[in-house]
Amino acid sequence: MAILKIAKMGHPVLLQRAAEIEDPTAPAVHALIGDMFETMADADGLGLAAPQVHVPQRLVIFHVPGDDGEIDEPRVLINPVITPLSQDMVLGWEGCLSVPGLRGKVPRYPRIRYTGVDPRGRPVDVTAEGMHARVVQHECDHLDGRLYPTRMADLTDLIFESEWRYHFKPDDPDDDEDNDLD
Ligand code: NI
């Protein structure tokens, strides 16, 4: 496995539509997944999309943060499709490993269904809400060449992470989390 270089905002790979993966069981795909997990852990991210490591294919990995702040097992989603299960959107803070040093308040659907396949080619069909839904929407946006600032309605809410920590970070003494969303 290897730690891969993360593309930053401005790199064209982050602006293109990623290609479907024809064979999720291919050794090259599994090798990429391994490298992406190593890269995500090294960067303290909650999720990572393949285009962020310069591979324009429809593959994302992520952790699902629980209500108790614990993070559950990692998930892999290939060729994902998202269906919103609500009309309204809610604002929440996001960060992105491709947009280092910044945080923004981004509108997302609070409840979604997502489908796709896992690395063994088995179908995935999940209903998600809250942070889980937000992470998946953020990651899947990367597959369509979207970065979170382009989803923001009010750029007043695009701020430096250092200021976010000081003014907006939830005040939780047990919170040693230092995660960018991806
Ligand atoms: Ni991101």
Side-chain angles (χ1 to χ4, degrees):
M1 295 213 291
I3 294 170
L4 305 173
K5 186 176 179 187
I6 296 174
K8 291 183 185 157
M9 183 165 64
H11 194 294
V13 75
L14 295 172
L15 298 176
Q16 69 185 80
R17 187 181 190 279
E20 306 282 331
I21 291 179
E22 287 185 15
D23 180 6
T25 67
V29 173
H30 288 204
L32 173 63
I33 291 168
D35 287 347
M36 285 175 62
F37 272 111
E38 195 170 355
T39 303
M40 181 172 71
D42 177 68
D44 272 334
L46 272 183
L48 191 66
Q52 291 185 277
V53 292
H54 306 84
V55 179
Q57 297 184 10
R58 302 187 81 76
L59 160 63
V60 300
I61 63 173
F62 54 93
H63 292 277
V64 178
D67 293 337
D68 55 2
E70 295 296 310
I71 293 176
D72 83 352
E73 85 281 3
R75 307 199 185 190
V76 179
L77 185 58
I78 295 166
N79 299 336
V81 175
I82 292 177
T83 307
L85 296 179
S86 60
Q87 295 213 315
D88 295 338
M89 300 179 113
V90 294
L91 286 171
W93 289 105
E94 298 184 13
C96 180
L97 295 176
S98 294
V99 190
L102 295 177
R103 297 274 170 162
K105 228 172 178 179
V106 185
R108 300 286 186 190
Y109 296 107
R111 201 171 137 79
I112 61 168
R113 175 187 178 199
Y114 63 85
T115 58
V117 292
D118 74 6
R120 293 168 68 179
R122 299 175 302 192
V124 172
D125 189 340
V126 174
T127 299
E129 52 189 20
M131 194 60 182
H132 183 178
R134 179 170 294 276
V135 169
V136 171
Q137 288 169 86
H138 177 117
E139 298 313 327
C140 292
D141 259 359
H142 280 297
L143 306 183
D144 293 326
R146 293 296 297 264
L147 296 173
Y148 79 79
T150 72
R151 291 284 188 197
M152 293 179 64
D154 182 357
L155 289 177
T156 306
D157 292 329
L158 186 62
I159 67 175
F160 285 104
E161 189 175 1
S162 52
E163 298 300 317
W164 174 80
R165 283 181 190 289
Y166 190 77
H167 297 287
F168 296 104
K169 191 177 185 187
D171 187 19
D172 178 354
D174 296 328
D175 183 10
D176 61 352
E177 212 176 292
D178 188 22
N179 288 318
D180 274 322
L181 200 51
D182 77 71

